[in-house]
Amino acid sequence: MSQKTIALLGNQNCGKTTLFNVLTGSNQYVGNWPGVTVDKVIGKISSKDWDVVDLPGLYSLSPYSPEEIVSRNYLLSDDYDVILNIVDASHLERSLSLTLELAAFGKPMVVALNMIDVMEKTGTKLDVDKLGEKLGVKVVDISASNRIGIDKVLDAVAEAKAPVITNFFDAEISEKIDEVGKTLDDANLSDSARRFIATGIVQNDEIYLEEYKTSEKVMIAAARVRNDIESKFNTDAQSYFPQARYQFIDSVLEDSKITTESKTSVIS
Ligand code: GDP
Ligand code: MG
Ligand code: K
């Protein structure tokens, strides 16, 4: 049993705080993130010697609100051992887009597919193991508010592995993004943080352009990737990355959905 810090990440209203409370009970401490008025809530799972950080909701890693920036900065800090990504099973497509962005960090990760009770009411059925296999990340189905699947989450976190698939983009483009990442000056950045920031700069994401005061070297390398994307895919960089993610998600969901027809055909 080893000390771990678990980062709870997901969209707003996916059930992070509900799961956090179930996991940590009254063992919680509220602090402060530096420079912003956003609460830093950390809880302990005493029986495991694990710290859990309940992070503000995040829709994408191109954050706009101070809350989202706190979560994004925490991810870049690398001060955690496991990403526990809570996904709202009733808004799967949108939620999984963040999952793919998180997987790109290459850290041990578990996806907790929450609100499984809501999904079941809509008649959707998923093969959770298959979904995990296709995503390259362990997926467990839970209902935080009904306290269902909590032990599965703990077991999965104990055995969490780095995602098998961390890159959903064209191989040639990815290589060039890594080259942009290598031109970033900050020596403290991990490889995945470099890749991540470079992807933001290539997309002309203002927050990355501002925060990582970019040298001419970086800008030239980024412009080259932008041109490559436009000529290869006939679309701009801002559209290419989300499109590639949604394409991957659609194929993953297609493969993981259990339809009534296929169930019948298995039986007969
Ligand atoms: P957060 O914004 O991610 O921290 O989400 P919350 O934990 O505040 O949960 C948002 C809402 O979803 C609350 O009303 C919860 O009670 C509800 N909720 C959480 N988990 C479940 C679940 O498994 N099933 C259902 N039906 N509701 C849930
Ligand atoms: Mg919350
Ligand atoms: K503060």
Side-chain angles (χ1 to χ4, degrees):
M1 201 166 63
S2 59
Q3 207 284 326
K4 278 186 206 296
T5 299
I6 302 160
L8 261 190
L9 285 154
N11 298 163
Q12 247 155 50
N13 291 321
C14 65
K16 288 182 301 300
T17 300
T18 308
L19 179 63
F20 178 79
N21 289 337
V22 172
L23 289 173
T24 64
S26 54
N27 234 334
Q28 301 178 359
Y29 313 87
V30 182
N32 217 278
W33 296 102
V36 284
T37 52
V38 177
D39 283 348
K40 177 175 189 175
V41 192
I42 300 182
K44 233 183 174 43
I45 306 179
S46 316
S47 60
K48 303 266 187 198
D49 194 22
W50 293 349
D51 286 324
V52 187
V53 186
D54 185 15
L55 287 150
L58 193 61
Y59 282 103
S60 80
L61 292 173
S62 305
Y64 291 100
S65 67
E67 287 81 7
E68 282 192 294
I69 291 170
V70 161
S71 294
R72 196 278 320 263
N73 287 351
Y74 187 78
L75 269 165
L76 290 174
S77 76
D78 214 27
D79 286 342
Y80 51 90
D81 304 291
V82 179
I83 293 175
L84 179 51
N85 172 210
I86 318 301
V87 161
D88 177 350
S90 63
H91 292 99
L92 260 181
E93 206 187 28
R94 185 185 73 193
S95 315
L96 289 175
S97 176
L98 178 67
T99 301
L100 300 192
E101 290 198 89
L102 296 176
F105 281 84
K107 296 285 282 190
M109 181 164 153
V110 170
V111 171
L113 197 61
N114 190 34
M115 313 237 188
I116 210 75
D117 55 318
V118 181
M119 189 186 79
E120 278 168 4
K121 275 183 202 143
T122 68
T124 307
K125 274 198 175 344
L126 277 180
D127 182 333
V128 174
D129 290 335
K130 194 156 198 180
L131 178 63
E133 193 186 300
K134 298 281 172 187
L135 283 173
V137 185
K138 175 78 179 172
V139 179
V140 291
D141 50 340
I142 71 166
S143 174
S145 61
N146 293 300
R147 296 179 175 249
I148 293 170
I150 307 303
D151 288 342
K152 278 196 285 192
V153 173
L154 293 174
D155 290 346
V157 168
E159 292 167 13
K161 292 183 187 62
V164 177
I165 309 166
T166 55
N167 193 350
F168 312 88
F169 309 121
D170 179 79
E172 194 188 332
I173 301 295
S174 301
E175 240 171 69
K176 288 184 176 161
I177 285 175
D178 282 344
E179 283 167 28
V180 177
K182 283 184 196 130
T183 63
L184 289 168
D185 283 329
D186 190 341
N188 295 322
L189 294 171
S190 65
D191 286 348
S192 53
R194 270 174 201 285
R195 177 175 311 154
F196 182 72
I197 295 161
T199 309
I201 292 172
V202 166
Q203 289 174 85
N204 261 328
D205 201 321
E206 271 172 42
I207 199 144
Y208 292 99
L209 292 172
E210 267 168 38
E211 283 178 37
Y212 297 91
K213 292 286 180 244
T214 35
S215 65
E216 202 178 335
K217 204 169 49 176
V218 179
M219 296 314 284
I220 291 170
R224 207 174 293 144
V225 184
R226 238 172 262 137
N227 286 336
D228 289 345
I229 289 172
E230 277 166 27
S231 55
K232 193 163 184 177
F233 299 101
N234 203 21
T235 183
D236 61 23
Q238 284 96 319
S239 313
Y240 168 69
F241 293 96
Q243 273 169 13
R245 265 185 226 111
Y246 277 113
Q247 247 171 35
F248 181 80
I249 291 167
D250 284 346
S251 79
V252 162
L253 288 179
E254 192 57 40
D255 290 344
S256 315
K257 269 193 184 129
I258 302 170
T259 61
T260 322
E261 283 137 34
S262 69
K263 256 171 50 192
T264 315
S265 64
V266 169
I267 294 163
S268 61

